[in-house]
Amino acid sequence: VEIRRLHPGGEPVSVESALADLGFGELAPEGRPYVVVNFVSSLDGRAAIAGKSAPLSSDTDRKLFHLLRAQVDAVFAGTRTLRLEGYGRIVRDAGVRARRADAGFEPDPLALVISRSGDIPWEIPLFGAPEQRIAVYTGEPVEAPATEAQVTVTEVAPETALGEGLALARSEHGVRSVLCEGGPRVFAALLADGLVDEVFLSLAPKLAGGGEETNITTGPGLPEAADLELAGVLEADSALFLRYRVRA
Ligand SMILES: NC(=O)c1ccc[n+]([C@@H]2O[C@H](COP(=O)([O-])OP(=O)(O)OC[C@H]3O[C@@H](n4cnc5c(N)ncnc54)[C@H](OP(=O)(O)O)[C@@H]3O)[C@@H](O)[C@H]2O)c1
């Protein structure tokens, strides 16, 4: 399957080559990893249909999702997203793990779990995957159950859990790049704390219509809108794949 390159322009290419060697880790600022957020949205800005993001996705979007996972030291999703989407081992494809190792990454990205309340989704398949390393940052003391996954638990201050969790991921686990896969609450909180460097937004050629579904951000708003610059536009099957950098 080929993807059209609208910006910067060029001949159609495979999704793999359009998103090769993104080099996020080299862009890491001092004291924390480079943070890339990836969302899929309907044209009317909704992040879910009937509570799930899958109806908005497409083959190309899924490829992009996995190509981003292949190029970061750690993957971070909010505790509600981890539960609702039933997260398991982050990179299941042995070929992708081999390519990660060739590119200088750990074969399995670290999974980051950050909670102010200590309500950790211990029951999801992620914690049952023996090869998966997971760093849990919690604002309240928790008693970690025995898990198959390799879990470290670190206490942080609840009000600064996100920033501390990211900083400690860098200092304790050498994480230079993080892919945040949502959800909307975590995205808004990261923005409020100035912890977002890039946004990949897949615009699905769909309209959710009215209803109660969440936007890609939810929670307290920003006092001033964040300012971004366009870094790339790809197109396949009427879906647009936008890449924006947050201006410093
Ligand atoms: N379209 C997409 O690409 C996409 C992507 C992901 C998710 N989704 C959809 O989004 C929905 C779930 O997202 P969500 O927004 O409800 O939850 P979420 O962002 O996944 O997780 C929210 C949880 O994160 C924890 N958290 C840690 N630090 C936080 C902070 N500083 N501020 C706020 N929360 C913090 C909170 O638990 P504590 O109170 O314990 O801190 C909170 O309950 C699902 O419907 C899912 O399908 C869509």
Side-chain angles (χ1 to χ4, degrees), residues 39-40 47 51 78-81 85 115-117 181 183-186 189:
F39 267 92
V40 61
T79 47
R80 276 177 51 83
T81 295
E85 307 278 351
S115 162
R116 296 159 302 179
S117 70
E181 301 183 335
R185 281 169 224 273
V186 156

Side-chain angles (χ1 to χ4, degrees), residues 20-247:
D21 303 326
L22 296 170
F24 297 132
E26 288 151 36
L27 302 170
E30 199 149 330
R32 67 166 177 84
Y34 194 71
V35 176
V36 176
V37 174
N38 182 33
F39 267 92
V40 61
S41 154
S42 66
L43 287 185
D44 44 355
R46 300 303 167 81
I49 306 273
K52 291 271 185 184
S53 57
L56 294 169
S57 195
S58 60
D59 284 349
T60 306
D61 177 59
R62 277 183 286 276
K63 269 200 184 142
L64 179 143
F65 179 92
H66 289 292
L67 283 164
L68 292 178
R69 282 186 171 190
Q71 297 181 61
V72 288
D73 292 323
V75 171
F76 168 45
T79 47
R80 276 177 51 83
T81 295
L82 290 171
R83 275 207 175 91
L84 288 165
E85 307 278 351
Y87 267 57
R89 185 177 182 181
I90 302 292
V91 174
R92 259 161 277 188
D93 184 319
V96 175
R97 291 197 300 270
R99 282 197 292 282
R100 282 179 55 88
D102 286 343
F105 293 102
E106 290 287 330
D108 285 272
L110 180 73
L112 289 184
V113 178
I114 305 178
S115 162
R116 296 159 302 179
S117 70
D119 179 17
I120 309 298
W122 301 112
E123 71 287 358
I124 59 174
L126 185 75
F127 285 98
E131 302 84 356
Q132 185 67 57
R133 293 168 302 122
I134 308 175
V136 173
Y137 296 102
T138 174
E140 292 291 334
V142 291
E143 236 174 89
T147 55
E148 293 286 315
Q150 306 156 45
V151 182
T152 59
V153 178
T154 308
E155 273 184 52
V156 291
E159 54 285 354
T160 52
L162 288 178
E164 273 190 70
L166 289 169
L168 288 167
R170 172 86 184 257
S171 61
E172 293 182 339
H173 298 278
V175 170
R176 298 184 60 88
S177 54
V178 168
L179 173 65
C180 173
E181 301 183 335
R185 281 169 224 273
V186 156
F187 185 16
L190 286 172
L191 279 173
D193 290 349
L195 295 170
V196 178
D197 297 301
E198 269 194 41
V199 179
F200 282 76
L201 178 63
S202 300
L203 265 188
K206 299 192 180 185
L207 288 163
E212 302 291 306
E213 292 298 352
T214 176
N215 280 19
I216 66 168
T217 57
T218 191
L222 296 171
E224 239 180 89
D227 199 13
L228 290 85
E229 75 182 320
L230 189 64
V233 183
L234 304 167
E235 185 271 339
D237 290 330
S238 294
L240 288 178
F241 302 94
L242 310 175
R243 178 180 181 190
Y244 281 93
R245 262 182 225 110
V246 176
R247 287 187 210 264

